Amino acid sequence: MTDQAQGPEDPIPGKPTSASRTTLSHIMTAAETNLLGTVHGGVIMKLVDDAAGAVAGRHSGGPAVTASMDEMVFLEPVQVGDLVHVKAQCNWTGRSSMEIGVRVLAERWNESTPAQQVGSAYLVFAAVDADGKTRSVPPVIPETERDQRRYQEAQIRRTHRLARRRAIKELRDRRAAEGLND
């Protein structure tokens, strides 16, 4: 059996959600705190981007870059000494883009209480080649009812992102036509 190069007409085989799902865990230290003594939101956002980037790279089989972050929600503050778990998975794929869903959980490092959800986010990544040009990604195959729900919700978020982008472009074009370049 010989390997053949995949042409543009050959579909890329899909990958199940579980193939790229990942968890990144990190103990929060005093170096990561803000003036209130809790962990900086930016520190959490970096962990979210790191975990999502790992999922995007795994799913696409190569480099992927962050295109956008939607709905970063902080539910509870994260404390010094918390063990933070960032769980990420590919929810949806387009031709070259992927939506990665992320849940952030925290638990006290020295207690046996269950981890509590402290945040969530949705990120869009674009798969790129060595020249930075977009490349095709495998379709994601939802495996569970929860994965299927996440896939459908991701399609709704994509529709809203595209509509928002179109509306903003139309407004800017209209303002430019009126000589209001700001």
Side-chain angles (χ1 to χ4, degrees), residues 5 13 33 38 42 50 61 63-64 70 77 86 95 97-99 102 118 120 125 139 145 148-151 155 161:
T33 60
T38 57
D50 287 347
D70 287 354
V86 182
R95 189 193 65 74
S97 63
M98 301 159 277
E99 184 196 88
V102 181
V118 295
S120 65
F125 277 76
E145 285 298 319
Q148 185 61 39
R149 175 186 52 80
R150 288 178 177 162
Y151 183 89
Q155 289 178 305
R161 276 192 298 274

Side-chain angles (χ1 to χ4, degrees), residues 61-126:
V65 295
T66 311
S68 71
M69 177 183 272
D70 287 354
E71 302 177 37
M72 180 71 211
V73 177
F74 297 100
L75 302 169
E76 296 288 333
V78 175
Q79 307 295 326
V80 170
D82 280 355
L83 177 58
V84 172
H85 307 285
V86 182
K87 297 177 176 280
Q89 75 171 47
C90 183
N91 290 336
W92 176 89
T93 54
R95 189 193 65 74
S96 62
S97 63
M98 301 159 277
E99 184 196 88
I100 312 299
V102 181
R103 286 183 35 221
V104 183
L105 304 148
E107 60 182 302
R108 295 305 299 166
W109 68 273
N110 59 347
E111 296 176 10
S112 59
T113 56
Q116 173 184 2
Q117 185 170 351
V118 295
S120 65
Y122 300 101
L123 296 89
V124 176
F125 277 76

